[in-house]
Amino acid sequence: MTENAQQQPTAPHTELPTQYAPADVEGPLYERWVERGYFEADAKSDKPAYTIVIPPPNVTGSLHLGHAFEHTLIDALTRRKRMQGYETLWQPGMDHAGIATQNVVERELAKEGKSRHDLGREAFVERVWQWKAESGGQIAGQMRRLGNGVAWSRDRFTMDEGLSRAVQTVFKKMFDDGLIYRAERIINWCPRCLTAISDIEVDYQDDDGELVSIKYGEGDDTVVVATTRAETMLGDTAVAVHPDDERYKHLVGRRIKLPLTGRTIPVVADTHVDPEFGTGAVKVTPAHDPNDFAIGQRHGLESLTVMDERGVITVHGPFEGLDRFEARSAIVAALRADGRIVAEKRPYVHSVGHCSRCKTTLEPRLSLQWWVKVETLAKAAGDAVRDGRVDIHPADLSQRYFDWVDNLNDWCISRQLWWGHRIPVWHGPDGETVCVGPDEQPPSGEGWEQDTDVLDTWFSSGLWPFSTLGWPEKTADLAKFYPNSAMVTGYDLMFFWVARMMMFGLYAMDGEIPFRTIAFHGMVRDEHGKKMSKSFGNTVNPLDWMDKYGSDALRFTLARGANPGTDVPIGEDWVQASRNFANKIWNATRFALMNGATVDGPLPDASAMSATDRWILSRLNKTVAQVDAFYEDFQFAKLSDALFHFAWDEVFDWYVELSKTTFQAGGEPAEVSKRVLGEVLDVTLKLLHPVVPFVTETLWTTLTGGESVVVADWPQDSGFRDDAAEREIETLQSVITEVRRFRADQGLQPGQRVPARLALDGTALAPHEAAIRQLLRLQPEGEDFTATATLPVAGAEVALDLSGTIDVAAERKRLAKDLAAAEKEKSQATAKLGNEAFLAKAPDNVVDKIRGRLAKAEDDITRIRTQLDRLPQQ
């Protein structure tokens, strides 16, 4: 710690403005950092590497609180590592966001009265690139506002040439290894976007629907099934019951009549069916339900597709051509007329999947798609955590990770879009299939066509930790910065992104892990803990808070709420409080500069320091050690809280205040304290910098004259401890706190001076009399001094003369009234708690509340009697 201070050039001690104005400071400071190349990373450096990739935001996106939260945590980690001497790379970039971006451009075309089909595929893709150049990437400018220390020269995009090469290389390798195949399966289908979508793009919400119970079969062959999607009955190819259900054993293996269709379907026995749910019989529609598809596969059932990609019915004359929801009503009406409706329940609230982009109700649909065979990949991803090569923070989320990768289904990777990485497979005129790598020529000739699908966006983002470093080429960047040091992301992306990065990294990089640590954080919620949503009206634009309070205030608020894996509530009052903290740092440093605080030269020997000086240096070193430990465990809330209390409570509220007496007295003790104060601020500003970079940069460079705190050395725990000094100052604090409490109890104003006699001889407080008098506004006793109140504290006595400061009679009367109220409250609570009949009937929370009232009343009685005893006698 002291070595760092010695290395600093002489501080210029430029006078700071009286107030901190974030808007005037933040923008120019950030651009200066970027211009000086502080955030760039050199693969040729001999420093140890520290790498984190940004979870790539969508090119369509703008900064929201979730981004601000995550980016604050990553920025804090990388700024600290840079100060610790690591060659630090925070890799920036954006995701092409296939379906979201295509929707945006299609909406733009719709304003012109056109669709993508009017342009054709090539022209439409060119239009998307044009939109990206003109309007995409808005979030990059907003990241600068937040202070993100990313290596902008390395900015990547999942559709740029290098990453596209990586995607094609991986696809080809997996295809050749038999890990990618094409098959008909049930997928989530959006009838509006006309594509399969991934599970993460499904928003489930409770919708009002109807539950209809329908009678299938005739006479003894009758069975009742219930459904919320009556239109799918046109595609039923069986009814399933549990093999042990005695009610239906006579039906298993027989065929029954399917209403409205003229078809008969078999009754099959399958253990998937829950005999306790409903009637214990379920309709089976293999082409339109994932569970039914699995039953159909087990029993060799036919899969009948009864609606097209737009959700329009394609079979059975009376309903053909109807939209799925129109058909639902028409089919129920027809069943009702045929006497087939046994029961109807509406509204029936149930969970329904919607497209996260366009909000359309999704349709499970049998479709020919491309898939990744995940069994071996998922096992490798699980083993890497189990054997300790990859750590998960917090550790209790490991089981959730294992539950996912151990039960992972094959992954549908194809999307019926035009914007994205086109699948590198060509289909020949006679059914041939050829997968083409990045350096290979596709087949040519009549009848050869490239597959029309594009890859799921998560396929390319799954390669992000190594594709951004130049893979598949063996680059210097890849050798230096892979594997990544940590992956910091929300627990909501554990399955859809983190697990896929694990699978791809281990596969493509020959068993080498993609990152050493996965640090999961929670979601940002409003101050009441409620999910932020436009529909709830509780969303916040972080730019508004940054404009109002400064970026540091927002960052500190977010970091201070960041317990690993736990959701983070945030409200404007908390951001305002963080702004006050930034102002406190500013004002304390300004005071220190005005009073000659310095970082020049080595620290004086401890023997030349006062107990106050030794105390703050001891506490400083303990704080350095504590903050380091919290960083290593990704405990952002705890490290922020430790820094807040050390800086505000110990440095600003105590050490600075105690130093004022020393500075006023002058001499050698004052010079020593000026150097100690400079050291404390130097280290404290460095410790705070990763979380609140702007205000600390301004103050640190002014205090020290150093180039930038961004590239300053991270503080080291020097090992200096002085437990005796800590106990001495703790005693001093207890005296001052106790007398302040007494003054407040007596109604004295904070600045009101009171004559006092201090009996400190023979105690550890003796050297601190001047500080005690100054902080407590205690003036020397005069000739007419009368001790009207005496406070024995810490082996000493503080005698006060209150005769000229308070109306003793009025104060006794007020306290007597408060005492009577407290005693009455105690009596009432005691009576209720002594009533057995009341205790037997009252809810636990009511009883607990009364116990709390009793405890408070007893505390109040003790406090008031103490105040009365301390009042001067009349």
Side-chain angles (χ1 to χ4, degrees), residues 469-548:
L469 297 173
W471 188 90
E473 308 305 323
K474 293 183 178 180
T475 64
D477 284 342
L478 197 63
K480 178 73 174 179
F481 298 113
Y482 190 89
N484 292 183
S485 305
M487 167 54 58
V488 179
T489 190
Y491 60 68
D492 58 323
L493 293 183
M494 179 188 294
F495 315 134
F496 308 110
W497 189 42
V498 173
R500 286 167 182 171
M501 285 188 289
M502 287 283 283
M503 291 191 294
F504 276 140
L506 290 162
Y507 172 75
M509 298 300 293
D510 299 322
E512 192 169 9
I513 56 174
F515 24 73
R516 296 184 176 90
T517 299
I518 308 167
F520 287 115
H521 59 72
M523 305 294 103
V524 179
R525 297 182 176 271
D526 72 12
E527 59 191 309
H528 306 295
K530 191 174 183 179
K531 179 182 177 181
M532 286 191 171
S533 165
K534 290 180 180 178
S535 61
F536 295 153
N538 62 350
T539 57
V540 173
N541 183 345
L543 295 173
D544 292 341
W545 280 352
M546 286 192 280
D547 288 341
K548 193 171 182 180

Side-chain angles (χ1 to χ4, degrees), residues 229-498:
R229 302 165 66 218
E231 68 280 8
T232 63
M233 68 160 292
L234 300 176
D236 285 0
T237 55
V239 169
V241 298
H242 194 277
D244 297 331
D245 195 331
E246 294 293 336
R247 294 171 294 177
Y248 302 115
K249 280 199 171 182
H250 69 287
L251 287 177
V252 174
R254 299 175 64 174
R255 300 184 70 87
I256 62 174
K257 182 178 179 181
L258 178 66
L260 304 182
T261 65
R263 292 191 291 116
T264 61
I265 57 177
V267 177
V268 299
D270 196 282
T271 54
H272 170 76
V273 180
D274 180 1
E276 303 299 322
F277 183 77
T279 63
V282 297
K283 60 191 287 298
V284 182
T285 320
H288 293 278
D289 183 275
N291 293 323
D292 293 3
F293 178 79
I295 293 174
Q297 292 286 295
R298 288 193 289 271
H299 297 277
L301 301 176
E302 185 180 5
S303 295
L304 298 180
T305 299
V306 297
M307 63 182 80
D308 65 15
E309 69 274 9
R310 297 183 183 275
V312 174
I313 301 298
T314 57
V315 297
H316 200 67
F319 312 111
E320 188 173 358
L322 294 180
D323 171 81
R324 55 187 167 152
F325 299 119
E326 295 172 335
R328 182 176 299 172
S329 299
I331 288 171
V332 170
L335 289 167
R336 190 183 299 113
D338 198 29
R340 293 284 176 173
I341 299 297
V342 175
E344 297 179 68
K345 183 178 181 180
R346 63 170 68 87
Y348 178 74
V349 179
H350 62 131
S351 181
V352 177
H354 294 257
C355 176
S356 64
R357 305 301 177 187
C358 68
K359 309 309 176 187
T360 300
T361 299
L362 295 173
E363 193 65 41
R365 175 179 170 81
L366 184 63
S367 180
L368 182 63
Q369 301 286 344
W370 289 94
W371 302 81
V372 169
K373 190 180 297 184
V374 300
E375 183 179 1
T376 58
L377 303 175
K379 182 181 185 304
D383 290 345
V385 175
R386 284 190 169 95
D387 64 23
R389 283 175 289 157
V390 178
D391 290 326
I392 288 181
H393 286 263
D396 58 8
L397 286 181
S398 297
Q399 189 56 51
R400 191 186 301 184
Y401 174 84
F402 294 138
D403 288 345
W404 175 259
V405 296
D406 292 348
N407 298 283
L408 198 56
N409 295 318
D410 285 0
W411 169 23
C412 176
I413 56 172
S414 47
R415 299 291 178 267
Q416 290 64 56
L417 303 171
W418 287 356
W419 173 245
H421 295 102
R422 195 162 174 183
I423 287 179
V425 170
W426 270 255
H427 303 287
D430 298 319
E432 307 97 325
T433 299
V434 176
C435 182
V436 177
D439 297 317
E440 300 172 350
Q441 290 296 319
S444 58
E446 186 176 350
W448 282 95
E449 292 185 353
Q450 186 175 0
D451 197 286
T452 57
D453 288 351
V454 301
L455 286 164
D456 177 11
T457 297
W458 297 101
F459 191 97
S460 52
S461 58
L463 314 181
W464 193 246
F466 53 92
S467 64
T468 51
L469 297 173
W471 188 90
E473 308 305 323
K474 293 183 178 180
T475 64
D477 284 342
L478 197 63
K480 178 73 174 179
F481 298 113
Y482 190 89
N484 292 183
S485 305
M487 167 54 58
V488 179
T489 190
Y491 60 68
D492 58 323
L493 293 183
M494 179 188 294
F495 315 134
F496 308 110
W497 189 42
V498 173

Side-chain angles (χ1 to χ4, degrees), residues 21-34:
D24 297 338
V25 170
E26 293 175 353
L29 259 189
Y30 186 83
E31 292 310 314
R32 190 182 314 151
W33 291 334
V34 173

